[in-house]
Amino acid sequence: MNPKQAKERIAKLKRELNAIIVAHNYQRPEVQDIADFTGDSLELAQRCVGADAEIIVLCGVRFMAETAAILNPASTVLLSHPDAGCPLADMINVGELKQWKERYPKATVVAYVNTTAAIKAESNICCTSANGIEVVTSCLAKEILFIPDQNLGHYISTKTNKRMILYPGFCDTHAKVTAEQVSLAKQRYPQAKVLVHPECRPEVINLADAALSTSQMLRYAKSCNEKTFLIGTEEGTLHPLRKQNPEKEFYLISDGFICPDMKKTTLETVIEAMQTKSNVVIVPEETRIKAKQAIDRMLAIT
Ligand code: CIZ
Protein backbone atom coordinates (compact mmCIF):
# COMPACT_ATOMS: atom_id res chain seq x y z
CA MET A 1 0.00 0.00 0.00
CA ASN A 2 1.49 3.37 -0.92
CA PRO A 3 1.21 6.36 1.50
CA LYS A 4 -1.75 7.87 -0.41
CA GLN A 5 -3.68 4.57 -0.26
CA ALA A 6 -2.79 4.16 3.40
CA LYS A 7 -4.14 7.64 4.21
CA GLU A 8 -7.38 6.93 2.32
CA ARG A 9 -7.78 3.62 4.12
CA ILE A 10 -7.29 5.33 7.50
CA ALA A 11 -9.84 8.06 6.64
CA LYS A 12 -12.38 5.36 5.69
CA LEU A 13 -11.74 3.37 8.86
CA LYS A 14 -12.14 6.53 10.92
CA ARG A 15 -15.59 7.13 9.48
CA GLU A 16 -16.68 3.50 9.82
CA LEU A 17 -15.50 3.19 13.42
CA ASN A 18 -16.40 6.72 14.60
CA ALA A 19 -12.77 7.04 15.63
CA ILE A 20 -10.41 9.90 16.33
CA ILE A 21 -6.66 9.68 15.99
CA VAL A 22 -4.34 11.57 18.30
CA ALA A 23 -0.57 11.62 17.89
CA HIS A 24 2.33 12.71 20.06
CA ASN A 25 4.82 15.26 18.72
CA TYR A 26 7.46 12.50 18.66
CA GLN A 27 5.60 10.40 16.08
CA ARG A 28 6.77 9.99 12.48
CA PRO A 29 5.76 12.97 10.26
CA GLU A 30 3.29 10.91 8.20
CA VAL A 31 1.60 9.67 11.39
CA GLN A 32 1.33 13.19 12.82
CA ASP A 33 -0.21 14.26 9.51
CA ILE A 34 -3.13 11.80 9.69
CA ALA A 35 -3.99 12.73 13.28
CA ASP A 36 -7.03 14.80 14.30
CA PHE A 37 -4.75 16.51 16.73
CA THR A 38 -1.15 16.34 17.87
CA GLY A 39 0.56 17.54 21.00
CA ASP A 40 2.55 16.71 24.09
CA SER A 41 1.07 14.35 26.63
CA LEU A 42 -0.69 17.15 28.54
CA GLU A 43 -2.41 18.37 25.39
CA LEU A 44 -3.33 14.83 24.36
CA ALA A 45 -4.77 14.18 27.83
CA GLN A 46 -6.78 17.40 27.71
CA ARG A 47 -8.03 16.95 24.16
CA CYS A 48 -9.20 13.39 24.87
CA VAL A 49 -11.40 14.48 27.78
CA GLY A 50 -15.00 14.08 26.70
CA ALA A 51 -13.97 13.13 23.17
CA ASP A 52 -17.11 12.28 21.23
CA ALA A 53 -15.69 9.15 19.64
CA GLU A 54 -16.32 5.44 20.05
CA ILE A 55 -12.66 4.73 19.42
CA ILE A 56 -9.56 6.74 20.26
CA VAL A 57 -6.44 5.64 18.39
CA LEU A 58 -3.46 6.81 20.39
CA CYS A 59 -0.32 7.12 18.31
CA GLY A 60 2.33 7.26 20.97
CA VAL A 61 3.41 4.95 23.76
CA ARG A 62 1.48 2.84 26.24
CA PHE A 63 1.33 5.25 29.20
CA MET A 64 -0.27 7.86 26.92
CA ALA A 65 -2.91 5.39 25.77
CA GLU A 66 -3.56 4.44 29.40
CA THR A 67 -4.09 8.12 30.23
CA ALA A 68 -6.61 8.40 27.40
CA ALA A 69 -8.38 5.26 28.69
CA ILE A 70 -8.41 6.60 32.26
CA LEU A 71 -10.02 9.87 31.15
CA ASN A 72 -12.43 8.37 28.61
CA PRO A 73 -13.99 5.21 30.03
CA ALA A 74 -16.82 5.40 27.47
CA SER A 75 -14.41 5.13 24.51
CA THR A 76 -12.30 2.19 23.41
CA VAL A 77 -8.64 3.19 23.29
CA LEU A 78 -6.36 1.46 20.78
CA LEU A 79 -2.59 1.80 20.99
CA SER A 80 -1.02 2.32 17.57
CA HIS A 81 1.58 -0.43 18.07
CA PRO A 82 1.26 -3.25 20.62
CA ASP A 83 4.87 -2.97 21.83
CA ALA A 84 5.24 0.81 22.01
CA GLY A 85 6.33 1.18 25.62
CA CYS A 86 8.37 3.67 27.60
CA PRO A 87 11.59 2.48 29.30
CA LEU A 88 11.37 5.49 31.65
CA ALA A 89 7.85 4.51 32.79
CA ASP A 90 9.09 0.95 33.34
CA MET A 91 11.89 2.13 35.66
CA ILE A 92 9.59 2.16 38.69
CA ASN A 93 7.09 -0.46 39.82
CA VAL A 94 4.45 -0.31 42.53
CA GLY A 95 6.56 -2.29 45.03
CA GLU A 96 9.45 0.15 44.65
CA LEU A 97 7.16 3.16 44.95
CA LYS A 98 5.62 1.76 48.15
CA GLN A 99 9.11 1.35 49.65
CA TRP A 100 10.01 4.95 48.79
CA LYS A 101 6.73 6.17 50.26
CA GLU A 102 7.51 4.34 53.51
CA ARG A 103 10.93 5.95 53.58
CA TYR A 104 9.46 9.46 53.08
CA PRO A 105 6.02 9.30 54.71
CA LYS A 106 5.53 13.08 54.80
CA ALA A 107 6.31 13.61 51.12
CA THR A 108 3.68 14.36 48.49
CA VAL A 109 4.18 11.99 45.55
CA VAL A 110 4.31 13.85 42.23
CA ALA A 111 4.30 11.43 39.30
CA TYR A 112 5.43 12.52 35.87
CA VAL A 113 2.78 11.37 33.38
CA ASN A 114 5.42 9.03 31.94
CA THR A 115 4.32 6.37 34.43
CA THR A 116 2.01 3.38 34.32
CA ALA A 117 -1.61 3.67 35.44
CA ALA A 118 -0.76 1.54 38.50
CA ILE A 119 1.93 4.05 39.54
CA LYS A 120 -0.38 7.02 38.98
CA ALA A 121 -2.94 5.27 41.21
CA GLU A 122 -0.36 5.27 44.04
CA SER A 123 0.56 8.93 43.55
CA ASN A 124 -0.95 12.15 44.89
CA ILE A 125 -0.79 14.20 41.72
CA CYS A 126 0.58 13.94 38.17
CA CYS A 127 2.55 16.47 36.19
CA THR A 128 3.97 16.78 32.68
CA SER A 129 7.10 18.47 31.47
CA ALA A 130 4.89 21.46 30.59
CA ASN A 131 3.38 22.00 34.04
CA GLY A 132 5.81 20.37 36.50
CA ILE A 133 6.85 23.65 38.13
CA GLU A 134 3.21 24.76 38.55
CA VAL A 135 2.19 21.38 39.97
CA VAL A 136 5.06 21.14 42.47
CA THR A 137 4.57 24.77 43.55
CA SER A 138 0.88 24.06 44.18
CA CYS A 139 1.63 21.24 46.63
CA LEU A 140 1.21 22.19 50.30
CA ALA A 141 3.87 19.75 51.51
CA LYS A 142 7.44 21.02 51.83
CA GLU A 143 8.79 17.62 50.78
CA ILE A 144 8.10 16.18 47.33
CA LEU A 145 8.86 12.64 46.20
CA PHE A 146 9.26 13.11 42.46
CA ILE A 147 9.04 10.03 40.23
CA PRO A 148 10.46 8.69 37.96
CA ASP A 149 12.59 11.19 35.94
CA GLN A 150 15.46 12.59 38.01
CA ASN A 151 16.45 15.16 35.39
CA LEU A 152 12.99 16.69 35.14
CA GLY A 153 12.75 16.56 38.95
CA HIS A 154 16.10 18.30 39.30
CA TYR A 155 15.08 21.01 36.85
CA ILE A 156 11.83 21.61 38.77
CA SER A 157 13.79 21.75 42.05
CA THR A 158 15.82 24.69 40.69
CA LYS A 159 12.57 26.62 40.07
CA THR A 160 10.73 25.89 43.34
CA ASN A 161 11.55 26.05 47.04
CA LYS A 162 10.55 22.46 47.83
CA ARG A 163 12.76 19.72 49.19
CA MET A 164 12.69 17.30 46.26
CA ILE A 165 13.51 13.64 46.65
CA LEU A 166 14.32 12.37 43.18
CA TYR A 167 13.73 8.81 42.05
CA PRO A 168 16.73 7.84 39.86
CA GLY A 169 14.91 7.22 36.55
CA PHE A 170 15.82 8.81 33.23
CA CYS A 171 14.86 8.86 29.56
CA ASP A 172 17.41 6.94 27.45
CA THR A 173 16.89 9.25 24.50
CA HIS A 174 17.26 12.58 26.33
CA ALA A 175 20.14 11.30 28.47
CA LYS A 176 22.17 10.83 25.28
CA VAL A 177 22.64 14.58 24.76
CA THR A 178 25.86 15.87 26.26
CA ALA A 179 27.09 19.35 27.20
CA GLU A 180 29.92 18.88 24.69
CA GLN A 181 27.42 18.33 21.87
CA VAL A 182 25.59 21.53 22.85
CA SER A 183 28.86 23.49 22.86
CA LEU A 184 29.84 22.13 19.44
CA ALA A 185 26.42 22.92 17.97
CA LYS A 186 26.59 26.45 19.40
CA GLN A 187 29.97 26.96 17.73
CA ARG A 188 28.38 25.97 14.42
CA TYR A 189 25.29 28.17 14.85
CA PRO A 190 26.39 30.90 17.29
CA GLN A 191 23.25 33.00 16.86
CA ALA A 192 20.84 30.07 17.37
CA LYS A 193 18.47 29.80 20.32
CA VAL A 194 19.04 26.51 22.15
CA LEU A 195 15.83 24.80 23.28
CA VAL A 196 16.13 21.56 25.23
CA HIS A 197 13.70 19.26 26.98
CA PRO A 198 13.78 19.22 30.80
CA GLU A 199 14.42 15.45 30.63
CA CYS A 200 17.97 16.38 29.52
CA ARG A 201 20.85 16.30 31.97
CA PRO A 202 21.32 19.40 34.21
CA GLU A 203 24.61 20.35 32.53
CA VAL A 204 22.83 20.36 29.14
CA ILE A 205 19.95 22.47 30.50
CA ASN A 206 22.48 24.93 31.94
CA LEU A 207 23.80 25.65 28.45
CA ALA A 208 20.35 26.14 26.90
CA ASP A 209 18.30 29.29 26.42
CA ALA A 210 15.21 27.45 27.63
CA ALA A 211 14.08 24.04 28.93
CA LEU A 212 10.66 23.36 27.45
CA SER A 213 8.16 20.61 26.69
CA THR A 214 7.58 19.99 22.99
CA SER A 215 4.41 22.09 22.88
CA GLN A 216 6.19 24.90 24.71
CA MET A 217 9.00 24.67 22.12
CA LEU A 218 6.41 25.11 19.38
CA ARG A 219 4.98 28.22 21.03
CA TYR A 220 8.45 29.62 21.77
CA ALA A 221 9.69 29.16 18.20
CA LYS A 222 6.59 30.84 16.78
CA SER A 223 6.77 33.89 19.00
CA CYS A 224 10.58 34.35 18.94
CA ASN A 225 12.22 36.72 16.43
CA GLU A 226 15.27 34.49 16.14
CA LYS A 227 15.48 32.54 12.86
CA THR A 228 17.71 29.60 13.87
CA PHE A 229 17.11 27.06 16.63
CA LEU A 230 19.04 24.14 18.06
CA ILE A 231 16.67 21.53 19.38
CA GLY A 232 17.39 19.08 22.19
CA THR A 233 14.53 16.63 22.12
CA GLU A 234 13.24 13.69 20.06
CA GLU A 235 13.56 14.35 16.33
CA GLY A 236 9.79 14.00 15.64
CA THR A 237 9.38 17.51 17.05
CA LEU A 238 11.24 18.94 14.06
CA HIS A 239 8.22 18.14 11.88
CA PRO A 240 5.69 20.52 13.50
CA LEU A 241 8.43 23.09 14.18
CA ARG A 242 9.31 23.25 10.48
CA LYS A 243 5.71 23.00 9.32
CA GLN A 244 4.57 25.88 11.52
CA ASN A 245 7.64 28.05 10.84
CA PRO A 246 8.70 27.55 7.21
CA GLU A 247 10.83 30.70 7.30
CA LYS A 248 12.93 29.48 10.25
CA GLU A 249 15.66 26.84 10.58
CA PHE A 250 15.70 24.02 13.09
CA TYR A 251 18.58 21.63 13.76
CA LEU A 252 18.93 18.79 16.24
CA ILE A 253 21.80 19.35 18.69
CA SER A 254 23.13 15.99 17.58
CA ASP A 255 22.05 13.01 15.51
CA GLY A 256 20.53 9.96 17.15
CA PHE A 257 17.81 11.77 19.04
CA ILE A 258 15.35 9.01 18.24
CA CYS A 259 12.99 7.22 20.61
CA PRO A 260 12.74 3.66 19.20
CA ASP A 261 9.34 3.09 20.84
CA MET A 262 7.81 6.24 19.36
CA LYS A 263 9.02 5.13 15.94
CA LYS A 264 7.33 1.71 16.11
CA THR A 265 4.09 3.28 14.90
CA THR A 266 3.68 3.53 11.13
CA LEU A 267 0.66 4.12 8.91
CA GLU A 268 0.47 0.33 8.51
CA THR A 269 0.35 -0.33 12.26
CA VAL A 270 -2.39 2.28 12.61
CA ILE A 271 -4.42 0.51 9.90
CA GLU A 272 -3.79 -2.87 11.52
CA ALA A 273 -4.92 -1.63 14.95
CA MET A 274 -8.10 -0.07 13.50
CA GLN A 275 -8.96 -2.90 11.13
CA THR A 276 -8.69 -5.60 13.77
CA LYS A 277 -9.66 -3.35 16.70
CA SER A 278 -6.59 -4.72 18.43
CA ASN A 279 -4.20 -3.32 21.07
CA VAL A 280 -7.16 -2.30 23.23
CA VAL A 281 -5.79 -0.62 26.34
CA ILE A 282 -7.65 -1.71 29.46
CA VAL A 283 -7.06 -0.17 32.86
CA PRO A 284 -8.75 -2.08 35.73
CA GLU A 285 -11.57 0.07 37.16
CA GLU A 286 -10.14 0.35 40.68
CA THR A 287 -6.78 1.51 39.28
CA ARG A 288 -8.50 3.83 36.80
CA ILE A 289 -10.47 5.67 39.48
CA LYS A 290 -7.40 6.21 41.68
CA ALA A 291 -5.15 7.19 38.76
CA LYS A 292 -7.82 9.59 37.50
CA GLN A 293 -7.76 11.46 40.80
CA ALA A 294 -4.03 12.14 40.36
CA ILE A 295 -4.58 13.29 36.76
CA ASP A 296 -7.64 15.39 37.62
CA ARG A 297 -5.70 17.20 40.37
CA MET A 298 -3.12 18.13 37.74
CA LEU A 299 -5.73 19.21 35.18
CA ALA A 300 -7.51 21.32 37.81
CA ILE A 301 -4.48 23.56 38.28
CA THR A 302 -3.30 23.66 34.66
O1 CIZ B 1 5.20 15.40 28.04
C1 CIZ B 1 5.39 14.77 27.03
O2 CIZ B 1 4.54 14.51 26.22
C2 CIZ B 1 6.76 14.33 26.69
C3 CIZ B 1 7.18 12.99 27.08
C4 CIZ B 1 7.49 15.12 25.98
C5 CIZ B 1 6.99 16.42 25.53
O3 CIZ B 1 7.44 17.42 26.05
O4 CIZ B 1 6.13 16.46 24.66
Side-chain angles (χ1 to χ4, degrees):
M1 205 181 295
N2 65 37
K4 186 167 173 282
Q5 289 168 330
K7 282 179 193 168
E8 284 167 5
R9 181 81 193 110
I10 289 169
K12 186 159 181 281
L13 282 164
K14 261 178 59 176
R15 285 192 300 275
E16 285 168 7
L17 300 177
N18 182 22
I20 56 165
I21 300 179
V22 302
H24 192 269
N25 290 327
Y26 293 158
Q27 289 289 290
R28 293 170 188 271
E30 64 275 21
V31 174
Q32 295 191 38
D33 288 346
I34 48 110
D36 293 283
F37 54 86
T38 54
D40 64 13
S41 49
L42 174 61
E43 289 173 330
L44 297 186
Q46 286 173 321
R47 295 295 297 268
C48 283
V49 178
D52 184 19
E54 273 167 58
I55 291 186
I56 297 170
V57 185
L58 196 305
C59 301
V61 294
R62 183 162 294 276
F63 78 82
M64 296 175 181
E66 282 187 347
T67 304
I70 290 165
L71 294 175
N72 296 278
S75 303
T76 299
V77 177
L78 308 181
L79 180 57
S80 51
H81 189 289
D83 305 326
C86 172
L88 168 61
D90 294 338
M91 280 181 191
I92 184 165
N93 63 39
V94 171
E96 284 157 341
L97 176 54
K98 284 189 173 162
Q99 281 174 13
W100 280 63
K101 281 166 68 168
E102 273 168 29
R103 218 177 297 159
Y104 301 102
K106 290 197 180 132
T108 289
V109 180
V110 178
Y112 190 23
V113 280
N114 298 36
T115 43
T116 62
I119 290 289
K120 288 184 177 77
E122 289 293 327
S123 302
N124 298 106
I125 186 165
C126 287
C127 79
T128 70
S129 46
N131 63 17
I133 297 169
E134 237 176 311
V135 167
V136 167
T137 305
S138 78
C139 294
L140 296 178
K142 186 87 194 85
E143 197 173 66
I144 304 293
L145 172 54
F146 190 86
I147 57 169
D149 188 290
Q150 60 182 332
N151 291 331
L152 175 62
H154 177 269
Y155 173 67
I156 294 170
S157 76
T158 64
K159 304 285 175 191
T160 58
N161 61 0
K162 303 287 183 185
R163 189 172 107 74
M164 306 261 301
I165 300 136
L166 308 179
Y167 189 84
F170 59 91
C171 162
D172 291 331
T173 306
H174 286 96
K176 278 192 194 130
V177 196
T178 64
E180 198 192 351
Q181 289 169 341
V182 180
S183 302
L184 285 171
K186 278 170 95 166
Q187 278 170 27
R188 205 151 165 225
Y189 300 101
Q191 77 288 19
K193 286 277 180 208
V194 182
L195 311 183
V196 302
H197 197 275
E199 286 177 25
C200 290
R201 298 168 189 274
E203 61 272 25
V204 167
I205 294 179
N206 285 344
L207 292 175
D209 291 294
L212 304 168
S213 76
T214 56
S215 57
Q216 289 171 330
M217 283 184 193
L218 286 163
R219 284 194 286 277
Y220 187 107
K222 202 159 200 75
S223 62
C224 177
N225 289 332
E226 188 52 62
K227 291 273 178 273
T228 311
F229 297 85
L230 288 165
I231 302 298
T233 193
E234 214 276 345
E235 59 143 32
T237 315
L238 292 178
H239 179 60
L241 281 168
R242 288 178 176 150
K243 213 168 152 181
Q244 293 176 22
N245 305 280
E247 75 294 359
K248 298 184 182 179
E249 289 175 20
F250 299 92
Y251 303 100
L252 281 185
I253 286 170
S254 77
D255 292 339
F257 237 149
I258 297 172
C259 170
D261 281 276
M262 282 286 179
K263 296 314 191 237
K264 283 178 180 161
T265 295
T266 61
L267 293 181
E268 285 70 29
T269 69
V270 174
I271 292 173
E272 171 74 14
M274 292 176 86
Q275 229 160 227
T276 56
K277 290 202 199 163
S278 51
N279 317 338
V280 177
V281 174
I282 294 169
V283 178
E285 189 58 9
E286 201 185 326
T287 306
R288 191 188 74 79
I289 288 170
K290 284 164 80 184
K292 187 171 182 299
Q293 286 172 354
I295 298 169
D296 282 345
R297 285 186 197 117
M298 166 184 80
L299 293 176
I301 62 149
T302 307

